[in-house]
Amino acid sequence: MHAWLCENPTGVDAVAWKELPTPQPAAGEVLIAIRAASLNFPDLLIVQNKYQMKPNPPFVPGSEFAGVVEAVGDGVKHVKPGDAVAAFSGTGGFATHACVPAAVVMPLPAGFAFDDAAAFVLTYGTTHHALVDRAALKAGETLLVLGAAGGVGTAAIQIGKAVGAHVIAAASSDEKCLLCREIGADETINYTSANIRDELKRLTAGKGPDVVYDPVGGDLAEPVFRSIAWRGRYLVVGFAQGSIPSLPLNLALLKGASIVGVFWGEFARREPQANARALGELAQWYAQGKVKPVIDQRLPMTALPQAYERMGTRKVRGKLVLVNG
């Protein structure tokens, strides 16, 4: 097998494409021949030693991928050799093969494309957990999505519409706003050229959004929180802008609002049955055409450095996918 190996997490230059022995699955493990893997923001942070999970080097980055089962260890019952699967394992995906715990492997329904599946589990799992579980988003409520043209942002637009919400998508360019409208957003805000508070007041007749989905953090957080509706729920999903905002807690008091943390990986670990139900609903929505990953580019697996470079430009719309073969 070949893999991008990170022997010292000092940045994207620390990964190298190397030949390694193909592992064999131990009890409770699955060996997957990887067809496609997607690049997520944590995959950039992890090779910079900036992510909350810090694997011991050397390690192979790549948190989510899809492929075909080649072998299973003792005790594995829900998949068998030849099955198409997706997996979210935190590491291991930027390679030709990966050996992962069976618990992180999801059988794919017929017709589920590998490139879509590779861009699905983390992005849509996180967003379903955020909107349906943590925020209890209801039909008719207004959802504001920040960073709406990115991987989790595009998922949030689609899941918001699947639930029946009115979706306002906020992004950093007119081009990104156009994409958001194309995949179902009811309204858009270019927060580079417009005042986001003024636009939210206009678009909601002064009420404000019921739910805010924020994977961005940074300097937008406070003005958006000041605009939230009574009993609003502000979902803390991530900090793609780089800085972690500090919100005055009196704002939560004045609005009767909630600041809600979203950590899907820990949810999946602590509540595996609830997570499995959520992924099952998402798979049904995919089959019904309600959700489908937006793929920015498909690149060869050997082009990981170029994928990292494109992610760093903030021009990615949806997800970058790396493919083998």
Side-chain angles (χ1 to χ4, degrees):
M1 65 171 281
H2 283 79
W4 285 100
L5 196 67
C6 182
E7 297 181 282
N8 184 19
T10 57
V12 297
D13 293 335
V15 295
W17 185 245
K18 294 193 173 184
E19 185 174 3
L20 302 170
T22 303
Q24 292 303 307
E29 291 186 339
V30 177
L31 175 64
I32 300 170
I34 298 170
R35 298 289 183 84
S38 69
L39 184 62
N40 296 286
F41 192 61
D43 299 321
L44 176 60
L45 296 179
I46 205 166
V47 299
Q48 299 171 330
N49 204 33
K50 293 180 179 178
Y51 192 51
Q52 55 254 38
M53 183 185 76
K54 300 185 187 302
N56 293 323
F59 65 89
V60 176
S63 55
E64 66 175 340
F65 50 92
V68 177
V69 175
E70 283 205 349
V72 300
D74 290 343
V76 176
K77 304 295 185 185
H78 75 297
V79 294
K80 63 185 184 302
D83 285 353
V85 295
F88 175 78
S89 59
T91 57
F94 298 149
T96 59
H97 295 75
C99 211
V100 299
V104 305
V105 176
M106 168 186 167
L108 291 177
F112 209 130
F114 285 120
D115 52 357
D116 284 347
F120 194 79
V121 177
L122 172 63
T123 308
Y124 285 82
T126 294
T127 307
H128 188 285
H129 172 52
L131 296 179
V132 178
D133 182 17
R134 300 293 284 140
L137 180 67
K138 299 178 182 64
E141 289 191 313
T142 297
L143 166 67
L144 171 66
V145 181
L146 300 178
V152 289
T154 51
I157 292 170
Q158 295 174 3
I159 291 175
K161 294 307 297 178
V163 170
H166 183 83
V167 178
I168 302 172
S172 62
S173 72
D174 290 341
E175 181 185 28
K176 289 181 178 180
C177 286
L178 176 60
L179 167 70
C180 294
R181 287 192 293 271
E182 288 173 349
I183 63 170
D186 298 289
E187 314 279 358
T188 59
I189 301 172
N190 179 344
Y191 50 71
T192 301
S193 60
N195 181 290
I196 195 165
R197 290 203 70 193
D198 291 345
E199 288 298 291
L200 287 173
K201 186 175 181 179
R202 179 180 69 83
L203 293 172
T204 65
K207 176 179 178 287
D210 299 292
V211 174
V212 176
Y213 183 93
D214 183 8
V216 179
D219 56 10
L220 284 178
E222 185 171 332
V224 167
F225 197 84
R226 288 181 180 276
S227 301
I228 203 166
W230 173 252
R231 290 185 180 266
R233 290 88 79 198
Y234 195 103
L235 295 165
V236 181
V237 182
F239 311 103
Q241 195 180 92
S243 60
I244 298 175
S246 298
L247 291 172
L249 290 182
N250 66 305
L251 298 177
L253 181 153
L254 293 170
K255 294 294 186 81
S258 304
I259 300 170
V260 184
V262 177
F263 188 0
W264 174 75
E266 192 66 7
F267 161 72
R269 186 184 71 83
R270 289 174 178 264
E271 303 177 45
Q273 292 180 330
N275 181 56
R277 286 193 298 271
L279 291 176
E281 182 171 50
L282 285 166
Q284 289 180 346
W285 286 353
Y286 176 87
Q288 294 164 1
K290 293 181 178 180
V291 299
K292 180 177 173 61
V294 175
I295 296 179
D296 179 82
Q297 286 186 359
R298 294 168 179 82
L299 300 169
M301 186 67 73
T302 51
L304 178 61
Q306 294 94 305
Y308 273 134
E309 182 180 1
R310 179 159 177 81
M311 174 171 275
T313 67
R314 306 286 185 183
K315 294 179 180 178
V316 174
R317 299 186 303 165
K319 297 285 288 286
L320 288 164
V321 172
L322 301 161
V323 295
N324 284 312

